[in-house]
Amino acid sequence: MKSFSYHQPKDIREASNLLGDNWQDALLNAGGTDLLGLIKHDIEKPDHLVNLKAVKDLDKVRYQEGKGLSIGALVKLNDLAAMDIVQNKYTVLAEALQETASPQLRNMGTIGGNLCQRPRCWYFRGDFDCLRKGGELCFAADGENKYHCISGGGPCFIVHPSDPAVALLALDASVTIAGKDREYTVPLHDFFVLPEDDVMRENILQPHEIVTRIHVPDLPSNTRSGYIKFKERDVWDFAVVSVAAVLRMGSERIEGGTMAFGGVAPKPWMEKTINDALNRMEVTDTNLDSLAQIAFTDALPLAQNGYKIPLVRNLIKRVIRTLNA
Amino acid sequence: MASDKIIKSRFFFEDEVEEKLAEVPTEEPDSWQADEKLAKVGKPYSRIDGYDKVSGTARYAFDMHLPNMAQAKTLRCPLAHARIKGIDTRKAEKLSGVLAVLTHRNTPEIKWYGTSFLFDTHLRYEGDEVACVIAETESIAEQAIKLINVDYEELDHVVDAKEAMQDSAPKLYDSGNIRNGEPGTYSRGEVEKGFAQADTVIEDTYRTQIAIHNPTEVHCSVVNWDGDRLTVWDSTQGIFRVRDGVANSLNIPLNSVRVIKKYMGGGFGSKLEAGKYTVMAALAAKQIGRPVRITLDRKEMNLAVGNRPDSVQTLKGGVKKDGTLTALFHHSYGAIGAHPSNAQCSWPLKSMYKCDNVKVEEYSVYINAGRARPFRAPGHVQGFFALESLLDDLAEKINMDPLEFRLKNYADKDQVYNIPYTSKVLREAYQKGADAIGWQNRSEKPGSGRGPVKRGIGMSSQIWWGGGGPPAYATLKLNRDGTLRVIAGTQDIGTGTYTFMAQVAAEALELPMEKVEVILGDTAVAPYCGASGGSTTAPSVSPAVRNAAENMKAKLISGAAAHLEVPESQLTYQKGMVNHKTNTDKSIAIDQLVREMGEQVMVSIGKRGANPEGYMINTFGAQFADVQVDTETGKIRVNKIVAAHDIGRVLNVKTLENQMHGGVIQGLSFALMEERVIDRYTGKVVTFNMHDYKMPTIMDMPDIEMFIVSGGDPKISSTGVKGVGEPAMIPTPAAIANAVYNAIGVRIKQLPMTPDKVLNALYR
Ligand SMILES: Cc1cc2nc3c(=O)[nH]c(=O)nc-3n(C[C@H](O)[C@H](O)[C@H](O)COP(=O)(O)OP(=O)(O)OC[C@H]3O[C@@H](n4cnc5c(N)ncnc54)[C@H](O)[C@@H]3O)c2cc1C
Ligand code: SF4
């Protein structure tokens, strides 16, 4: 671990100034659950650590009917998961939060930190100088890639590790970003970037930028939503594949909805064909089978992860069956 | 009092026969009989060191802090195969707080593994020791390590056993990558003839992965020189082995090395020998004149302190329509890492079932990875997975119930040496296990369950040695207040040794448990006992304690006779009293007697008796698994494991249950999750932390039901105890694999049975 100096700014502007304009000079610390590991293992080597803790108002959640939910970036995962409004209205988010990491990590980890956590590719986390760390090579492409992506990959093949991000994407959330001189809001969809656009970063944040809030629109009352995370062990495991579904249910058929996927791509993933097919879909075995069949037809699995295709298709059917029950 | 003699003692320690001269008593007390009801032995006493552990007062080697102690860290080779061309430690040495840097250049050439040195310039795996930095703090040592500049010449590597066996593969040793240059072989009968007699023959290939021991407590030593005497606090399964290894390496008398181990957080076979780290710390401590503590981190644990070798086993079995096994053939190879070890796994096939024609050929292969070490039932866990998979397939082919098939081929005597067992209570284990799992409800058509989540039941047999043997000695000291101290050179590696030793002594001398204190794990004060491996500790040491107690009793009677001036034959011993058989005035309490004798303490010694000639000592068992397989996700959940075992006499049913649960969990983990993954192109390990090296959590646990079908095995020893640590794990993966087949009708022939493998098998 490299030595660094530690800062505790009082407001966003000061924090942003401390972060500066150069990659790697300074890093934000929220709950530290990912960051400290990264620093200890020499994956990140900042000169400065900027702790967000003392910045006011970032740990609040507001809900306004019609407008929806506004979540401060420093809200702890467990606190968010425990809120009635989240459990009752934004079930998919509550379920994704409950499926995240372990109770201890959820007590420390924040929602902002969760969206900005670094990937879990074992080469990235290990002593391998790969593309994402500025090296020449993606070791996973022809290496041990059972957990890597089947869509959106190249030249790097990570999967995005966040569960809440998948739920938030299905909920059509957006994030507010504050920098040195401006604050702006982007749809979550545009927040994450693919390796083909920037192989060293998972999102659009500039060095001085900070996620301050996450907004989730209000939902029509006939919405049913849910999250299924498939993992190899029953707790404390990242998603092999996960599926978030937000469906507007009519009396006989699904009126419309969105699905988002984790564990399949370098960013939380959506397939337009699936969302289109959900439109006015009647939930029958045949329809579910056809929906599954059009899912991930463009996927390009690597040598060891082809199993994710039947897996994600089965989960699509399962989540709809569960919500329709 | 009994006299003694010296014998050549031979018994199975792990999967190899160990031979040692041992002093054994010529006479021993009558063994406790199989059905004998005892007052303390067998009872569920809580661990006598339980409070220390739970309250945090227990000090592990890791917790030792001596005044003025320095900290050491190891620089390990980052490449799979390399040669050191040059090494520059100047920057590291200049870092403030650095006390010493050890490398091959400034340390004596100390032999290691028989093939290498403490610091070798030929580095054969990622994790091989390059240098050791000693500093004021661990973090300084870590920083200094990064300042050491090593010029490596990178060599071609090979990390797969099959590739390593090719002539074209990079060589780890001039003599080639196959250990000893040839396979280990075994045969009995005529295997070709046997196959010719069969109505059905199946041949298949089964694969098991490399697994890492990953005990909770990392490897760690604290060393301190006092003049030319060295004390080592070590986390070890064998204090005397560490003493011998360290003394040999440093070329100092055995007398000068004292090894202490009081508590331990697991070893599983990875702590059966002296570690390089201990010797490095000792060299450094001498150089700087201060105590040194050296610890490994989790990554080092996953690279450099052992593993279970993998296996590719091709098995062929022949069977008649009536279920008679006519022939068995085993061909296998497995990777032992960069230094000598053993990947053989044919013992189950050779020894479990009655079969007259058997042939075995097995290769241990060097690859550029950390060296294999014994791991809880070496060879057997792998071997049973293959054998029991094959057996179930054979049974299905001839339309026979798998359990009936096993009973049909039940071995009534040892198959390899052709001698009787001291005892074998396996039929009862089959019966109990089958009843408890609901074997009669098992579906006979694999994969026929409805719905996406399918249930299945399967089973596996188990055989292991675990009889132990001499030498093992114990000393008893009776204090003038009537309290008793038991001292032995064994070690409690977390298995409950302290507690059962107290129970055995308290039983024999009819004393309350509170009066007994147990001292283990100190080579300076305790008489010799072997290392704790091979499930030999309890069967070796418990008779020594009992015999010592009986000797103590004899001494007390003799003392009382002299004091009371009556013949010894008139006196009996009962509950801390020596009583006259007829005259109630003539009795004396032992504390008073000890005071009368004018001694602070009375001492007696007990020795483990010889094993009976002409017998095999084995443990047996059977486990039954109830699983469900989600065919949409490939996930296997184990609902229940029933473990029914013959392990001789139970010493403590509570610690026994701990061993059983631990074994079953480790077996489940091996069956479903654990795997060391190595990147083929770089030869580097990618599963170096506890997140990527997957072990189950409490949420993944099955119900575990345990039955002990044996009473005691009086032929073996004065206590009739066999070991249990390894038997508990051996059949679990095989039972799960057979249950999975029963559930989905597709056989998974490779461990771990992770969801991707199940899905690939189902969606081929
Ligand atoms: C063992 C383990 C298991 C896990 N399992 C899961 C899982 O199953 N599912 C899952 O979703 N996650 C999982 N995680 C990740 C965990 O949820 C995250 O570590 C946590 O949410 C991060 O929050 P934090 O506040 O601790 O972030 P930190 O560790 O403080 O920060 C993480 C990163 O985000 C940056 N950052 C933090 N806050 C902001 C902000 N407001 N604006 C911009 N950048 C910011 C930091 O600079 C850093 O790079 C796991 C983590 C561990 C260690
Ligand atoms: S997948 Fe990405 S992070 Fe992993 S090795 Fe390839 S480039 Fe590096």
Side-chain angles (χ1 to χ4, degrees):
Chain A
M1 183 171 91
K2 187 169 144 256
S3 306
F4 52 80
S5 54
Y6 178 82
H7 309 268
Q8 185 136 327
K10 290 268 167 348
D11 60 48
I12 283 288
R13 178 138 314 218
E14 193 190 343
S16 172
N17 282 331
L18 282 164
L19 285 174
D21 286 321
N22 298 318
W23 298 113
Q24 276 291 326
D25 279 1
L27 282 177
L28 276 180
N29 181 42
T33 58
D34 187 24
L35 188 74
L36 298 188
L38 290 163
I39 295 177
K40 276 193 178 167
H41 296 120
D42 286 319
I43 298 156
E44 307 268 24
K45 297 170 193 159
D47 294 319
H48 303 273
L49 204 63
V50 181
N51 194 353
L52 271 183
K53 226 184 196 148
V55 175
K56 279 199 197 69
D57 209 33
L58 289 187
D59 58 352
K60 301 276 184 314
V61 184
R62 291 189 290 266
Y63 172 74
Q64 253 183 301
E65 210 166 316
K67 282 204 167 150
L69 203 60
S70 166
I71 311 163
L74 281 187
V75 173
K76 301 275 202 269
L77 301 179
N78 255 354
D79 293 342
L80 189 58
M83 292 180 69
D84 286 343
I85 183 74
V86 175
Q87 289 188 359
N88 299 333
K89 196 168 199 106
Y90 301 97
T91 320
V92 63
L93 179 58
E95 288 177 359
L97 288 163
Q98 274 147 9
E99 282 277 4
T100 298
S102 66
Q104 295 90 331
L105 285 159
R106 294 198 294 273
N107 282 335
M108 282 304 289
T110 66
I111 187 74
N114 184 279
L115 296 183
C116 301
Q117 62 176 300
R118 304 301 315 267
R120 286 280 156 181
C121 166
W122 43 25
Y123 294 100
F124 177 75
R125 296 272 166 172
D127 172 28
F128 297 86
D129 191 21
C130 76
L131 281 177
R132 190 161 290 273
K133 291 193 280 195
E136 306 274 293
L137 197 72
C138 171
F139 292 86
D142 292 316
E144 297 302 322
N145 51 33
K146 144 180 188 189
Y147 298 112
H148 288 74
C149 71
I150 53 171
S151 290
C156 156
F157 295 89
I158 57 159
V159 294
H160 198 278
S162 167
D163 290 303
V166 179
L168 289 167
L169 182 65
L171 287 166
D172 196 21
S174 52
V175 287
T176 299
I177 295 165
K180 296 195 294 229
D181 36 39
R182 70 172 183 141
E183 187 181 271
Y184 61 102
T185 299
V186 292
L188 197 60
H189 194 264
D190 300 330
F191 176 69
F192 296 107
V193 299
L194 286 176
E196 62 193 33
D197 296 320
D198 187 342
V199 79
M200 291 184 66
R201 270 162 283 281
E202 294 78 59
N203 54 51
I204 58 169
L205 292 178
Q206 292 300 302
H208 59 91
E209 288 182 332
I210 299 165
V211 171
T212 54
R213 300 204 79 81
I214 295 121
H215 309 271
V216 194
D218 214 349
L219 297 172
S221 58
N222 63 344
T223 305
R224 298 192 71 173
S225 70
Y227 188 72
I228 297 184
K229 172 177 177 177
F230 180 69
K231 48 204 183 311
E232 288 186 327
R233 61 179 167 203
D234 277 359
V235 71
W236 197 48
D237 212 359
F238 287 92
V240 175
V241 167
S242 68
V243 180
V246 181
L247 305 178
R248 278 169 284 119
M249 306 299 276
S251 53
E252 258 139 46
R253 47 185 76 228
I254 298 171
E255 283 176 7
T258 44
M259 293 187 99
F261 304 92
V264 294
K267 63 180 190 178
W269 195 247
M270 274 222 213
E271 301 237 315
K272 187 169 181 300
T273 44
I274 297 176
N275 291 344
D276 289 348
L278 287 173
N279 238 328
R280 305 200 46 75
M281 186 182 108
E282 199 184 336
V283 183
T284 63
D285 283 348
T286 330
N287 285 346
L288 285 176
D289 283 340
S290 352
L291 181 68
Q293 280 319 308
I294 59 162
F296 290 84
T297 40
D298 296 337
L300 288 172
L302 303 164
Q304 299 172 353
N305 66 5
Y307 71 98
K308 285 191 178 184
I309 294 179
L311 180 56
V312 70
R313 289 180 175 163
N314 289 337
L315 291 181
I316 289 172
K317 295 195 267 185
R318 186 170 285 189
V319 75
I320 295 177
R321 272 199 209 107
T322 315
L323 292 178
N324 190 52
Chain B
M1 219 172 293
S3 60
D4 298 322
K5 64 172 176 184
I6 312 263
I7 60 159
K8 185 171 270 182
S9 169
R10 288 187 196 88
F11 60 88
F12 276 91
F13 183 89
E14 299 298 3
D15 54 345
E16 282 164 13
V17 177
E18 196 170 85
E19 218 179 71
K20 263 195 198 127
L21 289 183
E23 188 172 27
V24 297
T26 46
E27 270 173 58
E28 280 186 89
D30 289 341
S31 179
W32 289 322
Q33 291 306 297
D35 51 0
E36 199 164 328
K37 290 272 167 290
L38 302 175
K40 302 202 171 63
V41 163
K43 297 283 160 6
Y45 286 99
S46 293
R47 288 163 192 262
I48 55 181
D49 53 342
Y51 180 83
D52 297 348
K53 288 181 171 173
V54 173
S55 64
T57 55
R59 295 232 265 153
Y60 293 75
F62 194 90
D63 303 318
M64 283 302 302
H65 278 277
L66 302 178
N68 208 24
M69 185 171 80
Q71 305 283 347
K73 279 277 156 199
T74 310
L75 170 63
R76 293 178 183 275
C77 178
L79 303 169
H81 200 186
R83 210 173 279 282
I84 300 179
K85 286 198 290 186
I87 184 162
D88 183 352
T89 56
R90 280 170 299 180
K91 265 196 192 155
E93 278 155 10
K94 274 192 207 123
L95 185 72
S96 150
V98 171
L99 302 165
V101 180
L102 307 182
T103 67
H104 69 277
R105 293 197 319 204
N106 62 3
T107 49
E109 202 171 64
I110 295 172
K111 282 227 166 69
W112 216 273
Y113 306 127
T115 48
S116 179
F117 302 101
L118 179 67
F119 292 114
D120 201 335
T121 52
H122 182 178
L123 304 166
R124 294 181 176 88
Y125 70 98
E126 183 203 17
D128 222 341
E129 289 81 356
V130 173
C132 180
V133 174
I134 299 85
E136 294 291 348
T137 67
E138 261 186 291
S139 84
I140 297 174
E142 269 163 23
Q143 281 175 49
I145 274 176
K146 289 179 196 151
L147 298 174
I148 298 176
N149 210 332
V150 188
D151 187 5
Y152 295 105
E153 175 194 345
E154 193 166 354
L155 306 174
D156 289 342
H157 65 263
V158 58
V159 290
D160 174 82
K162 185 168 188 182
E163 279 170 36
M165 288 169 81
Q166 312 299 314
D167 287 338
S168 55
K171 299 264 175 299
L172 278 83
Y173 296 98
D174 293 339
S175 54
N177 293 337
I178 294 174
R179 190 177 175 200
N180 301 331
E182 57 180 20
T185 57
Y186 167 82
S187 92
R188 67 171 178 258
E190 288 176 65
V191 82
E192 287 315 325
K193 229 184 199 170
F195 284 122
Q197 288 162 3
D199 294 315
T200 299
V201 174
I202 296 184
E203 181 179 322
D204 227 322
T205 299
Y206 308 89
R207 288 158 208 272
T208 63
Q209 74 280 29
I210 289 182
I212 307 285
H213 305 74
N214 264 320
T216 313
E217 183 193 19
V218 295
H219 289 55
C220 161
S221 299
V222 172
V223 302
N224 187 35
W225 289 93
D226 181 0
D228 50 13
R229 283 162 189 276
L230 176 69
T231 304
V232 178
W233 288 266
D234 198 22
S235 175
T236 180
Q237 296 173 246
I239 49 170
F240 283 98
R241 286 189 175 189
V242 173
R243 180 198 64 172
D244 296 356
V246 170
N248 281 343
S249 299
L250 300 175
N251 201 13
I252 55 176
L254 293 181
N255 249 347
S256 303
V257 181
R258 176 180 186 183
V259 178
I260 301 175
K261 187 224 70 82
K262 193 160 180 199
Y263 303 100
M264 187 148 149
F268 309 115
S270 69
K271 296 175 179 169
L272 280 168
E273 56 192 63
K276 279 191 178 183
Y277 52 93
T278 313
V279 172
M280 295 188 305
L283 288 170
K286 184 114 207 178
Q287 186 177 328
I288 64 172
R290 290 168 59 173
V292 170
R293 171 175 176 269
I294 187 162
T295 61
L296 274 67
D297 64 21
R298 196 47 73 180
K299 181 167 180 180
E300 294 176 281
M301 296 292 293
N302 277 279
L303 295 179
V305 287
N307 54 68
R308 182 188 298 279
D310 58 4
S311 73
V312 178
Q313 306 173 55
T314 300
L315 264 54
K316 191 170 160 187
V319 66
K320 286 192 187 158
K321 279 200 201 92
D322 70 352
T324 310
L325 274 172
T326 58
L328 286 169
F329 172 72
H330 168 117
H331 173 281
S332 70
Y333 56 88
I336 54 172
H339 296 284
S341 187
N342 174 358
Q344 303 188 347
C345 53
S346 66
W347 268 108
L349 175 130
K350 287 191 290 203
S351 63
M352 186 72 232
Y353 299 107
K354 179 168 162 24
C355 182
D356 294 336
N357 306 299
V358 175
K359 194 172 168 195
V360 167
E361 202 174 283
E362 40 193 350
Y363 294 85
S364 296
V365 185
Y366 291 115
I367 61 165
N368 292 109
R371 167 175 157 264
R373 290 186 186 182
F375 189 162
R376 204 170 191 167
H380 277 57
V381 181
Q382 305 92 296
F384 266 106
F385 165 65
L387 176 68
E388 298 291 281
S389 298
L390 177 83
L391 245 70
D392 264 28
D393 285 354
L394 282 170
E396 186 177 326
K397 268 270 166 66
I398 57 165
N399 243 325
M400 196 170 200
D401 177 84
L403 188 49
E404 200 186 321
F405 184 41
R406 284 164 176 85
L407 283 165
K408 172 88 191 168
N409 295 288
Y410 196 86
D412 283 312
K413 60 178 179 196
D414 173 81
Q415 296 292 294
V416 175
Y417 299 98
N418 200 22
I419 48 176
Y421 304 115
T422 52
S423 63
K424 176 170 181 176
V425 207
L426 181 56
R427 282 182 216 279
E428 292 75 353
Y430 285 146
Q431 188 63 53
K432 279 263 197 270
D435 290 348
I437 206 76
W439 187 259
Q440 71 284 0
N441 302 326
R442 172 180 178 273
S443 157
E444 278 171 24
K445 263 193 86 199
S448 58
R450 265 187 252 164
V453 180
K454 298 187 192 297
R455 245 177 123 147
I457 289 179
M459 59 87 56
S460 163
S461 311
Q462 169 259 317
I463 188 171
W464 179 254
W465 302 282
Y473 312 109
T475 304
L476 262 50
K477 294 184 176 179
L478 190 59
N479 298 308
R480 53 193 294 155
D481 63 354
T483 58
L484 181 76
R485 176 172 277 192
V486 180
I487 308 172
T490 184
Q491 46 277 310
D492 188 330
I493 59 172
T495 48
T497 313
Y498 283 113
T499 311
F500 82 66
M501 302 268 281
Q503 282 173 263
V504 171
E507 177 79 40
L509 286 168
E510 302 170 54
L511 295 175
M513 284 287 279
E514 310 80 73
K515 295 226 168 180
V516 186
E517 189 208 16
V518 184
I519 307 277
L520 307 176
D522 188 338
T523 59
V525 303
Y528 179 86
C529 293
S532 293
S535 305
T536 60
T537 303
S540 300
V541 181
S542 63
V545 177
R546 168 142 195 244
N547 296 352
E550 298 294 344
N551 288 341
M552 177 66 81
K553 230 191 250 179
K555 243 185 215 193
L556 287 165
I557 289 178
S558 171
H563 175 66
L564 301 169
E565 298 182 55
V566 295
E568 281 184 29
S569 59
Q570 296 295 305
L571 297 174
T572 60
Y573 179 90
Q574 268 170 329
K575 295 193 174 164
M577 300 284 296
V578 182
N579 296 323
H580 195 277
K581 286 180 183 159
T582 49
N583 184 349
T584 44
D585 293 343
K586 297 259 180 201
S587 73
I588 184 165
I590 58 172
D591 52 342
Q592 194 193 340
L593 182 60
V594 179
R595 285 195 293 272
E596 291 294 343
M597 290 174 68
E599 281 179 273
Q600 274 301 107
V601 287
M602 284 239 314
V603 179
S604 75
I605 291 174
K607 298 170 185 148
R608 165 65 153 89
N611 284 326
E613 298 270 345
Y615 287 97
M616 263 322 266
I617 308 177
N618 287 104
T619 55
F620 299 93
Q623 289 187 8
F624 293 75
D626 172 341
V627 308
Q628 61 188 50
V629 185
D630 187 332
T631 55
E632 290 180 350
T633 63
K635 172 120 167 191
I636 297 165
R637 166 159 269 290
V638 181
N639 297 318
K640 183 170 182 177
I641 298 282
V642 177
H645 291 262
D646 160 11
I647 49 127
R649 172 171 297 284
V650 175
L651 286 169
N652 179 324
V653 71
K654 207 165 176 177
T655 53
L656 170 76
E657 203 162 49
N658 289 166
Q659 283 299 299
M660 257 323 155
H661 286 193
V664 166
I665 290 165
Q666 215 160 21
L668 176 147
S669 186
F670 186 70
L672 302 182
M673 290 182 197
E674 289 184 47
E675 178 169 22
R676 185 195 72 188
V677 181
I678 251 185
D679 176 64
R680 285 157 288 162
Y681 297 96
T682 57
K684 284 159 70 80
V685 172
V686 294
T687 48
F688 49 81
N689 58 45
M690 298 296 279
H691 205 269
D692 291 317
Y693 185 84
K694 280 187 188 162
M695 289 178 159
T697 69
I698 191 75
M699 304 287 283
D700 306 289
M701 294 303 147
D703 284 343
I704 301 171
E705 196 176 348
M706 173 183 91
F707 295 97
I708 298 304
V709 294
S710 50
D713 187 343
K715 282 207 185 75
I716 309 177
S717 70
S718 61
T719 57
V721 171
K722 306 188 219 175
V724 68
E726 284 156 311
M729 175 178 184
I730 290 171
T732 320
I736 294 174
N738 282 339
V740 168
Y741 176 74
N742 183 239
I744 60 175
V746 181
R747 187 157 289 281
I748 312 290
K749 295 174 195 159
Q750 184 172 4
L751 299 184
M753 295 178 282
T754 43
D756 56 321
K757 293 202 191 81
V758 177
L759 285 174
N760 287 338
L762 290 170
Y763 287 80
R764 236 190 318 234

